Amino acid sequence: MEIKIALAGNPNSGKTTLFNNLTGSRQYVGNWPGVTVEKKEGKLKGHDDVIIQDLPGIYSLSPYTLEEVVSRTYLVNEKPDAIINIVDGTNIERNLYLTTQLLELNIPMVIALNMMDLVRKNGDKVDTAKLSSELGCEVIELSALKNEGADDVANKAIQLAQNKTIGNRPSILSGEVENAVKQIEGELSGIADDKFLSWSAIKVFERDSKELEKLHLASDKKKNIEDIIEACEKSMDDDSESIITNQRYTYITGVTDTAVKKGRAKGELSISDKIDKIVTNRILGLPIFALVMFLIYAIAMGGWSVSIGTAATDFTNDVIFGEWVPGFFDTILGALHVEEGTVLYGLIQDGIVAGVGAVIGFVPQMLVLFLLLAILEDIGYMARVAFVMDRIFRQFGLSGKSFVPCLVATGCGVPGVMASRTIENDRDRKLTVMTTTFMPCGAKLPIIGLIAGAIFGGSPWIAASAYFIGIGSIILSGIILKKFKAFAGEPAPFVMELPPYHVPSVVGVLRATWERGWSFIKRAGSVIVISSIIIWFLSAFGTVNGHFGLVDNLFEDETIVTDEYVQKLADRMDVEIDDVNAMDASLLASVGNVISPVFKPLGFGNWKPTVATITGLVAKEEVVGTFGVLYNYDDSDEELGEEGEQIWDRVAADYTTMGAFSFMVFNLLCAPCFAAIGAIKREMNNAKWTWAAIGYMTGWAYVLAFIFYNVGGLLTGEHGFGLGPILGIVLLAGLIYLLVRKGYQPDESAKSLTSVDANA
Amino acid sequence: MKTLRDAAIGATVKVKKLHGEGPTKRRIMDMGITKGVDIYVRKVAPLGDPIELTVRGYELSVRKADAELIEVE
């Protein structure tokens, strides 16, 4: 018979480490149905019939946060055969608070008292026998990091599950409260599940919305119960929820007073305290923070000799996927007599290899970055980042931890989006994912270079303005979006644990790094490869004078490409006869022609920039390359410069100043490249939110480009007053309104930490 | 009424009552800040908010706005 064991405990109690110890590599990572909380499940090492279910790290079983609701729904509905409650031995009081709640579920349970090595080192003494008899539950010492005791815990849990042993539940409640809960139990008997009767009664006493919803009490029952609660509240002079919480902690203090002896005198500083005194010091805190962030940037993103991340990614892009892999496939395809210019060759080399390369190219840089972030997290610095930056970021509705994704996104949006993983609050994380790619990433710099060089005489102000627009977009979006219901709700009370610093574990850090990297490759990969193939197909195929096929090949056939046809194509695509090339006949050009009117109000309603914008979805640096092709740059003598220097004069002739600037703004802010979209999809883990993010970014880009072109053009005298500028001013006024309006006000009585839609 | 917000850095205060309601209050209490518990106000963040506390033997940070809900002796 299969045994299901749930692993429950506080965040930072070493749950993940124990889970990895118990399951080895045989785990399955998924998501809880309908929500984006990660769900991990694995088979116990050496026991194929024992499933370990890792629950999210939680402090309580309140009905308010997503993680808590997910956990209690699992425990009550799935009824695991046993619970392993992992308790951090160095922080026993607060950890036991969850334990007192788990005990009420009447499920066989064993307490794994973790971090015993640290407990001993601190000189603390825990009397496990005493603890065990007080709690009516087996207590086993564990040091998950050193992999000591994990087997004992698992064996005990299996034994309890098989015998269905439930310990004697300690009486946590006392006096009137106990009486009141007993009375409610009486009222509920027959209605609530017998097994969960005492759990239900306590939840009803707390007026727990989720439990009341589930029970559907008749109105006279409700009234009886309400009378019981009110009487108790009146005599205790507190609300029922607080009464229960107080009683739990009072009980715990009683238990720990007898079973735990602290080695350190109160007020004496541990090593961690001493480190923290410096790291989050009033004066040194910010410089240290800046230094740490700079180091991360330098190692993962920068362009210096210490920048391992950039070097690795450049190597992957330029050498592995620039020479080796295409060369390798050239050889194979050559051996199979698949000639260059055939459909199969194009599909493999330009569609699949280029597409896979686009995914894999980012991976080395991402791994370096994730490694650094995993180390910071493991050390305990990430919590301090939030502590230091909270003041600034909450002004525009983001979390202090949003700083890291934004910083990383200046190098590449893909790891930037994925770095948002460390933000616990669901809404803050979604908001960060939606806005972080506004930062001009490395691949957008050539676009800036092209526009600055071609139109603005290489003015450095253009690049500066691009960063300003990117940062401004993040801040403004934060303020605007936070006023909508989906992101509103009082920002979660910032009640955050600052875990003690400790030396990172090598295995743990590497594991976290790899898990994140792999999850990107797996889930984002498919999106990117399929999208790249579609764009390749659209740009390679087309109809030339009535013949459908690869446009490059058809153009070489002089019987098809007649002078008359070339003339017609030149007229249709509005180019000089001498400039007509194969690309003009591609499906992509036709698509560009159809879509281009959309961009007319932005000042670049021509099919060329439209096509460039579309190819920018594959990778933003493609925009410049596409311009090279469309402006007929002949690269047989010299390759097109990174910023398209050779075509600057031709581009300049086609655009007005504000039109070009608006093109740049749109391309900086609109939907990011497919790789980043893939990362967004991975993080949102929900089609609706992914589309909402892409739609918002594109919409924002459109509105901003519209305002820059029309209002900016009016100010610079590029065009006179008319419909465009009027609409631009209206949009600007609309933006200002969205910024200053009062916004959605959550119902005060239903203040919620995160949106809880877990279907509990 | 004296609240945690008014407590000086380095002071140890005793919680008298928790104000507010619903999730915010529950969350604060879940973290161990209950009636009668001692709180040591450890430090304030470089930018002046939030503050760091020691409660029940561990470190916790709360915003000043939330600290206002905690009445101390």
Side-chain angles (χ1 to χ4, degrees):
Chain A
M1 196 198 77
E2 198 170 72
I3 295 177
K4 271 189 297 186
I5 298 176
L7 196 57
N10 283 188
N12 264 310
S13 56
K15 229 160 40 69
T16 310
T17 318
L18 178 63
F19 179 72
N20 288 338
N21 288 346
L22 292 176
T23 59
S25 55
R26 306 188 305 155
Q27 27 180 287
Y28 165 78
V29 181
N31 278 279
W32 299 90
V35 294
T36 46
V37 179
E38 204 156 79
K39 169 182 184 168
K40 277 195 202 170
E41 202 175 84
K43 283 182 178 163
L44 180 64
K45 263 193 278 190
H47 297 262
D48 266 345
D49 53 346
V50 180
I51 308 271
I52 310 276
Q53 171 70 58
D54 192 20
L55 297 178
I58 47 173
Y59 293 110
S60 170
L61 290 176
S62 86
Y64 300 124
T65 76
L66 193 59
E67 287 80 3
E68 290 172 5
V69 171
V70 161
S71 299
R72 54 188 260 182
T73 308
Y74 175 83
L75 292 170
V76 173
N77 293 354
E78 303 287 317
K79 303 184 182 64
D81 300 295
I83 299 175
I84 296 176
N85 173 214
I86 183 159
V87 166
D88 176 356
T90 62
N91 186 357
I92 226 164
E93 264 186 83
R94 203 211 48 225
N95 274 257
L96 286 182
Y97 177 68
L98 176 67
T99 308
T100 59
Q101 300 179 53
L102 292 173
L103 284 170
E104 278 148 17
L105 288 165
N106 271 337
I107 294 172
M109 180 161 111
V110 54
I111 292 175
L113 194 60
N114 194 19
M115 315 222 183
M116 284 311 287
D117 50 326
L118 284 176
V119 170
R120 286 184 207 113
K121 215 163 118 192
N122 290 345
D124 298 351
K125 291 222 161 38
V126 182
D127 184 344
T128 43
K130 182 106 198 164
L131 204 57
S132 171
S133 69
E134 289 278 352
L135 295 170
C137 172
E138 291 275 352
V139 179
I140 292 176
E141 296 191 6
L142 176 76
S143 175
L145 210 56
K146 305 210 155 122
N147 202 1
E148 289 166 11
D151 292 340
D152 300 343
V153 170
N155 290 335
K156 182 46 93 184
I158 294 172
Q159 192 195 330
L160 292 178
Q162 279 164 344
N163 301 336
K164 306 202 186 317
T165 324
I166 296 165
N168 296 322
R169 209 147 50 79
S171 34
I172 290 160
L173 307 177
S174 59
E176 311 171 50
V177 187
E178 194 182 10
N179 280 336
V181 171
K182 278 263 150 27
Q183 285 176 38
I184 295 175
E185 268 180 41
E187 295 282 340
L188 291 180
S189 82
I191 300 174
D193 191 335
D194 255 1
K195 189 173 152 100
F196 295 117
L197 188 57
S198 52
W199 153 268
S200 279
I202 293 174
K203 289 295 142 192
V204 168
F205 182 77
E206 288 178 329
R207 296 199 184 86
D208 183 298
S209 53
K210 302 269 171 198
E211 187 66 19
L212 286 171
E213 214 171 276
K214 206 175 105 186
L215 289 173
H216 291 302
L217 294 174
S219 58
D220 57 326
K221 272 250 153 41
K222 255 189 206 155
K223 173 138 196 335
N224 288 350
I225 291 172
E226 189 55 36
D227 288 345
I228 300 171
I229 303 173
E230 268 171 22
C232 189
E233 280 179 327
K234 209 164 173 193
S235 89
M236 308 276 293
D237 185 30
D238 213 341
D239 62 279
S240 64
E241 221 178 348
S242 307
I243 293 172
I244 296 280
T245 310
N246 272 324
Q247 293 238 319
R248 289 192 202 280
Y249 268 114
T250 309
Y251 165 78
I252 293 164
T253 316
V255 172
T256 51
D257 276 351
T258 58
V260 183
K261 283 213 168 24
K262 286 274 175 196
R264 206 174 28 243
K266 240 189 184 161
E268 197 183 318
L269 294 183
S270 67
I271 298 173
S272 168
D273 295 339
K274 286 176 192 155
I275 296 173
D276 205 44
K277 239 187 145 142
I278 301 167
V279 171
T280 54
N281 182 287
R282 196 85 213 243
I283 297 152
L284 292 176
L286 283 175
I288 290 176
F289 169 75
L291 181 74
V292 171
M293 290 302 137
F294 175 76
L295 281 178
I296 291 190
Y297 184 82
I299 297 174
M301 296 291 154
W304 302 287
S305 53
V306 290
S307 311
I308 309 167
T310 309
T313 276
D314 284 351
F315 181 77
T316 318
N317 275 332
D318 300 343
V319 182
I320 300 183
F321 279 93
E323 294 165 16
W324 294 356
V325 176
F328 173 73
F329 277 99
D330 257 350
T331 319
I332 292 191
L333 292 172
L336 295 170
H337 302 289
V338 177
E339 303 293 328
E340 199 171 338
T342 60
V343 177
L344 187 60
Y345 183 92
L347 173 68
I348 290 175
Q349 288 286 40
D350 302 330
I352 299 173
V353 172
V356 173
V359 185
I360 306 292
F362 293 111
V363 170
Q365 192 166 35
M366 274 169 51
L367 289 181
V368 171
L369 181 85
F370 290 157
L371 181 74
L372 297 174
L373 292 182
I375 292 173
L376 283 191
E377 249 177 290
D378 215 29
I379 289 180
Y381 189 71
M382 278 311 255
R384 272 79 186 181
V385 169
F387 181 68
V388 170
M389 294 306 285
D390 178 66
R391 177 91 198 239
I392 297 179
F393 274 75
R394 76 158 185 261
Q395 299 298 330
F396 37 92
L398 293 169
S399 143
K401 290 186 180 178
S402 307
F403 182 83
V404 178
C406 294
L407 175 87
V408 168
T410 58
C412 174
V414 175
V417 167
M418 296 197 66
S420 64
R421 192 64 83 73
T422 55
I423 302 168
E424 295 89 6
N425 182 287
D426 191 49
R427 284 179 312 221
D428 288 357
R429 189 174 56 238
K430 283 190 174 125
L431 198 52
T432 308
V433 168
M434 268 174 119
T435 53
T436 195
T437 54
F438 283 150
M439 278 318 262
C441 69
K444 289 174 186 167
L445 297 183
I447 305 177
I448 300 169
L450 172 76
I451 299 298
I455 314 285
F456 295 94
S459 162
W461 287 103
I462 299 305
S465 72
Y467 281 96
F468 184 74
I469 290 167
I471 296 167
S473 292
I474 294 177
I475 294 175
L476 296 181
S477 296
I479 297 173
I480 289 175
L481 289 174
K482 269 279 166 167
K483 299 195 175 180
F484 284 96
K485 201 173 166 185
F487 292 102
E490 264 319 281
F494 183 75
V495 182
M496 185 185 63
E497 188 185 355
L498 295 170
Y501 292 96
H502 61 81
V503 181
S505 113
V506 178
V507 180
V509 163
L510 289 179
R511 189 164 202 139
T513 306
W514 174 245
E515 267 175 20
R516 281 179 201 174
W518 180 236
S519 91
F520 166 73
I521 298 171
K522 231 173 23 187
R523 303 223 190 170
S526 53
V527 181
I528 302 164
V529 172
I530 291 169
S531 323
S532 303
I533 291 175
I534 292 172
I535 297 283
W536 164 79
F537 175 79
L538 290 177
S539 62
F541 280 86
T543 312
V544 180
N545 208 2
H547 299 262
F548 182 81
L550 283 169
V551 284
D552 277 339
N553 294 356
L554 293 171
F555 250 73
E556 276 166 26
D557 190 337
E558 301 211 342
T559 59
I560 296 175
V561 186
T562 57
D563 287 347
E564 191 194 347
Y565 172 73
V566 171
Q567 179 66 53
K568 240 171 65 194
L569 188 61
D571 288 345
R572 179 154 62 100
M573 305 313 281
D574 193 24
V575 289
E576 297 293 319
I577 290 193
D578 294 340
D579 285 348
V580 170
N581 65 18
M583 186 81 174
D584 298 344
S586 69
L587 289 172
L588 194 58
S590 312
V591 171
N593 229 353
V594 173
I595 298 179
S596 64
V598 173
F599 296 118
K600 199 125 218 155
L602 307 187
F604 55 94
N606 180 293
W607 69 275
K608 288 179 183 174
T610 308
V611 167
T613 303
I614 296 172
T615 55
L617 292 172
V618 176
K620 290 287 169 183
E621 65 266 29
E622 285 285 312
V623 170
V624 176
T626 306
F627 265 118
V629 176
L630 297 179
Y631 282 95
N632 251 322
Y633 178 71
D634 180 6
D635 61 1
S636 51
D637 296 331
E638 187 193 8
E639 246 183 71
L640 184 68
E642 188 161 281
E643 296 175 352
E645 295 85 347
Q646 298 91 331
I647 54 165
W648 281 0
D649 49 343
R650 268 179 270 181
V651 172
D654 263 10
Y655 298 89
T656 64
T657 313
M658 286 322 286
F661 193 75
S662 137
F663 173 75
M664 181 186 82
V665 169
F666 186 81
N667 269 281
L668 292 182
L669 301 177
C670 75
C673 64
F674 287 132
I677 293 177
I680 291 173
K681 176 170 174 277
R682 168 73 194 88
E683 288 315 303
M684 293 291 194
N685 196 28
N686 171 314
K688 210 177 86 196
W689 274 103
T690 311
W691 285 112
I694 296 167
Y696 176 75
M697 284 184 254
T698 311
W700 177 260
Y702 195 89
V703 168
L704 240 59
F706 190 93
I707 293 172
F708 271 108
Y709 175 65
N710 290 291
V711 181
L714 182 69
L715 295 177
T716 58
E718 198 171 278
H719 41 76
F721 203 70
L723 186 62
I726 291 175
L727 277 175
I729 291 168
V730 169
L731 281 175
L732 193 59
L735 275 190
I736 293 170
Y737 166 73
L738 286 175
L739 274 174
V740 298
R741 81 187 175 116
K742 203 152 182 271
Y744 170 78
Q745 294 295 321
D747 179 3
E748 279 299 314
S749 62
K751 265 188 187 177
S752 162
L753 291 179
T754 48
S755 49
V756 178
D757 294 323
N759 249 343
Chain B
M1 183 183 87
K2 192 186 173 197
T3 69
L4 186 63
R5 190 190 174 125
D6 313 318
I9 308 295
T12 302
V13 292
K14 198 182 261 306
V15 175
K16 201 167 155 195
K17 192 175 167 65
L18 284 124
H19 298 269
E21 57 183 7
T24 312
K25 183 178 183 187
R26 172 73 185 259
R27 173 77 170 198
I28 291 172
M29 293 188 78
D30 278 348
M31 299 305 279
I33 300 181
T34 54
K35 214 184 283 182
V37 80
D38 280 334
I39 298 180
Y40 170 66
V41 184
R42 190 172 200 121
K43 68 155 85 83
V44 61
L47 295 167
D49 197 10
I51 51 177
E52 182 177 345
L53 315 168
T54 305
V55 60
R56 295 185 189 272
Y58 79 100
E59 314 307 319
L60 187 69
S61 84
V62 297
R63 282 183 185 155
K64 283 187 169 167
D66 295 324
E68 233 166 21
L69 302 174
I70 303 164
E71 187 180 341
V72 297
E73 277 173 14

